[in-house]
Amino acid sequence: MKAKAFKGGVHPEGHKEVTQRLSIVGSKLPERVVIPMQQHIGAPCEPLVEVGDEVKVGQKIGDTEAFVSAPIHASISGKVTAIEPYNHPTGAKVKSVIIEADGNDEWSQEVKPPGKSVEEMEPKEILNIIREAGIVGMGGAAFPAHVKLSPPPEKMIDTLILNGAECEPHLTADHRTMIEDPEGVVFGLKAMMKVLGVENGIIGIEENKPDAIKTMQEMAEKESNIIVVPLPTMYPQGAEKMLIEAINGRQVPSGGLPMDVGVVNQNVGTSRAIAQAIREGKPLIERPLTVTGAGINTPANLMVRVGTIVEEIIEQCNGMRDDACKVIIGGPMMGMAQPELDIPALKGTSGILVLTESEISYSEINSCIRCAKCVDVCPINLIPSFLGRAGEKGQVEVAEEYHALDCIECGCCTYVCPASRPLTQWIKIIKAEIMAQKKQ
Amino acid sequence: MEEIKVEVLLQAALALGGLGAIFGILLSVAARVFAVEVDERVEQISEVLPGANCGACGYAGCNNFAEAVCSGNADVGGCIPGGKDTVSEICQILGKEGVESVPKKAVVFCDGDRQTAVERFVYDGSPSCKHADKMGGGFKACAYGCLGLGDCVEACPFGAMKMGDNGLPLIDEEACEGCGVCANYCPRGIIGMIPRDYRNKLVMCNSRDRGKSVVKACPVGCNGCKACTKACPQEAITMEDNLAVIDVDKCDGCGECVAKCKQGAIKALGEQHAAVEKLPRLKLRKLRK
């Protein structure tokens, strides 16, 4: 089976060769972690610990009653020294639990294997394990995994797609995960298929990762209902709507979700985390991330504890070069540039990218010349030039009429705009305004 | 050449003339029967209003305001840019007693310019204060300081503002009509309205942060040390959320506070970095006629 390309998209330079052959290595155990109570889409958690409490690795320290949320666990053992608002990669200050390590790295007694195999477990039980382990989408958006896996009963789900596209340039953490633990990825996929009761499992991988395709194919051959689909290398191939369109030709309707076309998507990293949660009872307390870019002295793929300060991670990679001037959390297309490095790495942090002066261009914003390049590349078939202008001028009704809310914020329009117009920023702003108006 | 018959000409003239007469009568009857009553005063009031449609009164334009005043929905003193003269003229038209209105002017309560205030990062996005404010809390270390991208300048209906080279907006006191539109457009609420003839001291800072973070972010910000409140013989200075505020009704301009302020945050208008500069003034009434 070969996937067709979706409409639109761009071809940014990959830069993946820098780290794609480096295996994931464990990072140094941090002496202090900052664990924000909001690391996912949905309701923030309330801290379950108090200042002065001793915590162990894997102990639950934050939870909430809200359905769209995921509990949060301590990633090191030690003492809670503060619970206060702390810098967050989103730019806001978020209530965080700060833990000083005691150096023992002692695991909590809560963390233990369930003592049952997946075959013996009910779907509900598996779902509960996934929720309690605090697993969220690890591709970057950090949507709680158990919410995605509990579609309303009227939605007929027939396919589970595992996203191994990793279309963002520079990042290689998913790539390495597939090569280093293909068995775990497939185990997680099978468990999720059982939860959803679906027969088809598809793993989509971009063609620029032939070794990952080969490894995963070898694993998938052992299973009757799992196939690996090579995908054309194209950004944003890893966006779930694009992935579905490329793999089974279904288009998610405007305002809809993948489940409206019978599909649930999960990232390969999430699948592996789910496998670890089911087999070992291990909650999501660490994740692989890529530290890369021309501005970093020793690029690496690191297994990092959640809450490790980004500055420390960069120091572990022998620091930044002198001409480094921009640090992005995530990939270069959708990631967020950071004003400071005293921020924690979260469950959804897929990479730390350090760019140098020569890689960054500052250009003046010019008038739209109506070349329609943005319209050509928009994978959602929107008109970014119109939406951008609506955002610039604050025209909420116009933006809504032109389906601003369907924008996936992939950044293709800004990438191709010859007039250097910050289209994605404008659309993001107007989307927030539309949402705010709807809430009223 | 065929001869033109007089009868044909006559017939055509009569037919068209007749139709014209009938429609004329119909229209004049309709104009009487369906006449819309117009309040003459609305037009008279519109005439005396500045005609800038600035929206400071809360209505979409000067005409809407005139209608609202006539119907008694709006206050006669609602037109701030018009000032005393306009109010008294409106009162004359309406036959009402005069209302006291204090002419105002806009002041930018921030003096942290490009060289002074600390910037956290290079902002390279949409050139609008409102948008920049949403990007990681703005590029200035001070979350209350002027971002200098000119939303207010663009909003000013009187052309009384321009963006200075130092990244702070300049206000031409004479051209400013005190409508307050700029104050509404500023996403950080830095612009305040003060009485037009006020010449005394003001605290040129808007930061509600605690002292330490203010000093880190801006060397001319108010750190809330309260030295000025103690020094003021008029007791005109109060603290509101770590920020000293001068009561413009009480201040007599003695300057005791200026001497005590270690940050140099208290200044008279014209002494700040965003010094007032003359701008070409729009002659509003002339524009209208």
Side-chain angles (χ1 to χ4, degrees), chain B residues 79-275:
Chain B
C79 179
I80 303 159
K84 258 188 203 158
D85 299 345
T86 308
V87 175
S88 63
E89 278 177 80
I90 295 174
C91 288
Q92 255 177 13
I93 295 164
L94 294 175
K96 276 189 188 173
E97 290 278 303
V99 197
E100 196 66 27
S101 93
V102 185
K104 300 233 161 127
K105 64 183 170 189
V107 173
V108 179
F109 282 93
C110 172
D111 206 19
D113 64 356
R114 284 268 154 73
Q115 281 81 45
T116 320
V118 179
E119 289 187 15
R120 290 157 67 214
F121 55 92
V122 182
Y123 176 71
D124 185 34
S126 170
S128 144
C129 308
K130 190 180 159 198
H131 296 168
D133 190 32
K134 286 183 180 155
M135 292 294 290
F139 54 84
K140 274 196 173 172
C142 172
Y144 299 88
C146 175
L147 291 167
L149 294 170
D151 282 13
C152 51
V153 175
E154 207 156 297
C156 177
F158 297 99
M161 300 181 90
K162 88 170 197 191
M163 189 46 69
D165 297 332
N166 61 358
L168 290 174
L170 306 174
I171 301 174
D172 181 349
E173 259 187 78
E174 275 177 42
C176 175
E177 299 280 345
C179 65
V181 169
C182 52
N184 285 339
Y185 269 82
C186 178
R188 293 184 158 187
I190 299 164
I191 302 177
M193 307 306 295
I194 60 164
R196 210 178 163 133
D197 51 7
Y198 187 76
R199 289 272 172 274
N200 295 334
K201 311 293 182 232
L202 289 171
V203 182
M204 290 297 172
C205 181
N206 181 48
S207 175
R208 264 87 175 153
D209 265 337
R210 281 168 184 273
K212 238 187 188 174
S213 32
V214 173
V215 177
K216 253 197 231 164
C218 177
V220 294
C222 168
N223 61 358
C225 68
K226 294 184 189 162
C228 54
T229 54
K230 286 171 201 151
C232 182
Q234 306 291 324
E235 294 185 348
I237 310 177
T238 47
M239 297 301 295
E240 290 176 14
D241 297 340
N242 305 314
L243 177 66
V245 179
I246 297 181
D247 187 339
V248 290
D249 294 330
K250 287 187 189 161
C251 174
D252 64 353
C254 69
E256 288 286 328
C257 53
V258 179
K260 283 275 159 28
C261 183
K262 278 181 192 155
Q263 290 290 103
I266 304 179
K267 290 163 190 145
L269 273 181
E271 287 170 5
Q272 76 271 49
H273 288 127

